[in-house]
Amino acid sequence: MHLPSPLIRGTLVQRYKRFLADITLENGELITAHCANPGAMLGLNMPGLPVYVSKSDNPKRRLKYSLELVELPTGLVGINTNYPNKIVGEALSENAISELSPVDDFRAEVKYGENSRIDFLLNQDAGRKTYLEVKNVHLSRGGKQAEFPDCETDRGVKHLKELANMVANGHRAINLYLIQRTDCDHFSFAEDLAPKYAAAAKEAHTAGVEFLCYDCQINLEQICIASRLPISMPTG
């Protein structure tokens, strides 16, 4: 997935009200950027961090800039939660996810369950449906371990229960965690930050929901899916 070009480098001053970030650009200009990330952004919202923003020419936008990447000593981190579905959608089109290949056809944002939408509905295996939910991952507290989520998410718990119901109805259901960073080699659940979500993941796994995790290749021009990483399921 190609990033808006060209990206502009700056320094984070503060991230606040969830969707706003003040940033000083390299030319000294202080701007306010839209931050498309409702999460806590632990470790990625510290003043002084180098960041990259894009600028929109849309005259209807109130905020012209969007926060795209955070630069850590260990690599780049994508924080825009609008991107994972685009990245996975391209990967599905290119049959780049071996566990889901070949994909005959798929649709995005399909209504299912109790007032829910699945990120992708795949038709495979002679009519058997595959329900694919995608979750953005950007949390890492060290040791090359990626974690999800960075706070409790009732919506995420609901999605896990909906996927378990699809398995009970004879379909395949998968939760795919996409790590938008380049410095992790395994994935686990942040049970201390979100015990309810971790418990729901354990229940869903027992019910037959599959769990996949992939990391990304990230540079200043594009983000694309890379390698499958091992998952440690919740133990609590």
Side-chain angles (χ1 to χ4, degrees):
M1 185 209 74
H2 289 281
L3 291 165
S5 182
L7 294 183
I8 305 167
R9 198 170 190 266
T11 301
L12 182 64
V13 176
Q14 62 172 336
R15 184 253 186 156
Y16 57 104
K17 294 183 179 179
R18 296 175 69 193
F19 299 109
L20 299 176
D22 288 342
I23 294 164
T24 302
L25 303 183
E26 288 189 322
N27 63 5
E29 181 183 0
L30 177 65
I31 59 104
T32 298
H34 178 243
C35 177
N37 191 315
M41 285 180 58
L42 296 178
L44 302 173
N45 58 5
M46 298 176 294
L49 282 176
V51 297
Y52 289 88
V53 300
S54 60
K55 185 177 182 180
S56 172
D57 295 327
N58 184 348
K60 296 182 179 181
R61 280 194 54 166
R62 182 175 67 88
L63 297 175
K64 301 299 182 184
Y65 293 92
S66 295
L67 179 58
E68 304 286 1
L69 303 174
V70 173
E71 185 178 358
L72 300 177
T74 53
L76 294 170
V77 182
I79 59 88
N80 193 325
T81 57
N82 293 325
Y83 289 161
N85 283 21
K86 296 179 181 179
I87 297 167
V88 172
E90 288 186 3
L92 291 173
S93 297
E94 298 169 359
N95 282 307
I97 304 175
S98 60
E99 296 81 8
L100 297 172
S101 181
V103 177
D104 297 327
D105 67 271
F106 64 90
R107 291 180 292 152
E109 293 293 322
V110 179
K111 291 182 179 180
Y112 83 117
E114 298 181 7
N115 196 30
S116 295
R117 289 181 180 271
I118 193 68
D119 289 324
F120 295 100
L121 180 61
L122 289 63
N123 289 321
Q124 296 178 296
D125 299 333
R128 186 188 185 201
K129 297 184 184 300
T130 297
Y131 290 80
L132 178 64
E133 182 72 24
V134 179
K135 296 299 182 189
N136 178 71
V137 180
H138 53 59
L139 173 64
S140 177
R141 291 181 282 181
K144 295 189 175 181
Q145 175 176 278
E147 297 178 86
F148 183 90
D150 59 7
C151 58
E152 283 288 16
T153 164
D154 292 338
R155 185 168 177 264
V157 170
K158 178 186 177 183
H159 288 160
L160 289 169
K161 293 179 178 179
E162 296 277 33
L163 290 176
N165 289 337
M166 293 303 103
V167 173
N169 290 330
H171 302 296
R172 187 184 184 194
I174 302 172
N175 221 27
L176 191 156
Y177 297 93
L178 188 74
I179 303 175
Q180 275 202 85
R181 52 190 303 155
T182 59
D183 57 355
C184 297
D185 60 13
H186 62 287
F187 170 85
S188 69
F189 295 84
E191 298 185 54
D192 59 327
L193 300 178
K196 292 180 181 178
Y197 184 86
K202 184 177 180 180
E203 291 178 6
H205 186 253
T206 301
V209 175
E210 299 173 46
F211 288 78
L212 290 176
C213 179
Y214 273 79
D215 66 356
C216 291
Q217 293 179 346
I218 306 175
N219 56 44
L220 299 185
E221 297 179 352
Q222 64 181 1
I223 303 176
C224 60
I225 204 163
S227 304
R228 181 178 178 180
L229 301 187
I231 297 177
S232 297
M233 295 302 300
T235 58

